[in-house]
Amino acid sequence: MTVEYAARGLVGVMTPQANTTVEPELAILAPAGVVTVAARLCSGERSMNDRLLDYFDALPGMVAEFANAPIAACGFACTGAAYLAGPAREAAAVEALCASAGWPMVTATGAIADALEAIGARRIALVSPYDAALEAEAIAYWQARGFGIIATHSVFRHSEAFHPIYSLPSEATRAGLDLLAGVEADAIIVLGTGLPSLVPISATPRVGGKPVLSSTFCLAWRLFALAGAWPGDAAGLHAFLDDPGWRARLAAARK
């Protein structure tokens, strides 16, 4: 069956309760005829790490959030939870959820790994929105998946705003990318689905010929590929980086 506004695919996304970045960026990135519907991951835990693990533990029950909507694919848009859980636990959770849901699922970290594998990137540089402790977990996660971390730059800052990551502007991402401009990596990755990334990627999709990718950008590419709405190979990834469609939607959203 088709959905009125989703002739090319309906995709789901599970996003942390206060995240204000994932849904707008997915809407901007979605090609015509693809629609994203969201379920909010909720936790009453006070510390961020406890909330992140709560989100991960809630995955099996999140299938019910979409009821019987004709989801083509679903994404887990919380990289921090995957870093704390680790690759093995993440893979087991995804496998179990796919089996119970009946539709394919990908985590944001899994989507980044898929993108890096597609383009043959093994040496990566990171722009991190995390504090030192979570950044260390992120580095350990990527090393466990077989990637070499060439350099990391943190744009984290303590803030009285509602969330230290979601309140960061895209200028913070831009500054992080500028500081990694001379690094000899195969790709530069902007971590965290809550860190705005589309403006700097739009302006500079490659640094020294190497692609600049973000958590949400990779998740979008992978979800749309799973839905059959975009090529899921290296050529498709590069075409997505260069796509004028989402750039036009980004410009309209920022007027």
Side-chain angles (χ1 to χ4, degrees):
M1 65 171 292
T2 60
V3 176
E4 179 70 20
Y5 298 109
R8 296 178 62 196
L10 182 72
V11 298
V13 63
M14 303 171 188
T15 183
Q17 58 204 60
N19 192 309
T20 54
T21 306
V22 168
E23 290 158 285
E25 290 201 340
L26 285 177
I28 288 166
L29 290 166
V34 177
V35 169
T36 302
V37 291
R40 289 273 163 171
L41 297 156
C42 296
S43 170
E45 297 290 344
R46 295 183 63 83
S47 81
M48 183 167 71
N49 282 12
D50 288 342
R51 286 198 302 274
L52 291 173
L53 287 173
D54 237 12
Y55 298 155
F56 199 84
D57 291 339
L59 267 178
M62 291 300 294
V63 175
E65 296 292 317
F66 298 103
N68 61 346
I71 301 291
C74 187
F76 179 63
C78 185
T79 50
Y83 297 146
L84 292 173
R89 185 177 170 194
E90 175 188 26
V94 169
E95 182 179 1
L97 192 144
C98 288
S100 63
W103 27 250
M105 179 190 173
V106 64
T107 62
T109 43
I112 294 171
D114 289 342
L116 293 172
E117 294 287 351
I119 60 176
R122 304 307 306 174
R123 293 156 43 91
I124 59 177
L126 308 175
V127 175
S128 163
Y130 306 126
D131 62 20
L134 189 52
E135 183 177 295
E137 297 284 356
I139 291 171
Y141 173 95
W142 290 113
Q143 289 173 331
R145 291 198 71 145
F147 295 96
I149 309 301
I150 304 306
T152 304
H153 179 73
S154 176
V155 298
F156 177 83
R157 67 186 184 196
H158 293 281
S159 172
E160 296 301 320
F162 71 101
H163 195 287
I165 296 176
Y166 306 154
S167 58
L168 285 169
S170 57
E171 286 77 9
T173 305
R174 174 75 273 164
L177 292 174
D178 288 344
L179 289 170
L180 294 173
V183 173
E184 293 295 326
D186 299 328
I188 298 176
I189 309 299
V190 180
L191 300 180
T193 60
L195 180 59
S197 64
L198 295 189
V199 171
I201 290 177
S202 174
T204 311
R206 294 169 187 81
V207 173
K210 308 303 183 183
V212 177
L213 306 171
S214 73
S215 302
T216 304
F217 184 89
C218 291
L219 180 62
W221 166 74
R222 194 73 188 101
L223 283 174
F224 304 154
L226 288 170
W230 198 274
D233 56 6
L237 180 63
H238 284 292
F240 201 38
L241 266 177
D242 296 325
D243 178 47
W246 69 257
R247 283 173 168 78
R249 292 188 291 274
L250 175 64
R254 289 174 57 81
K255 285 184 178 178

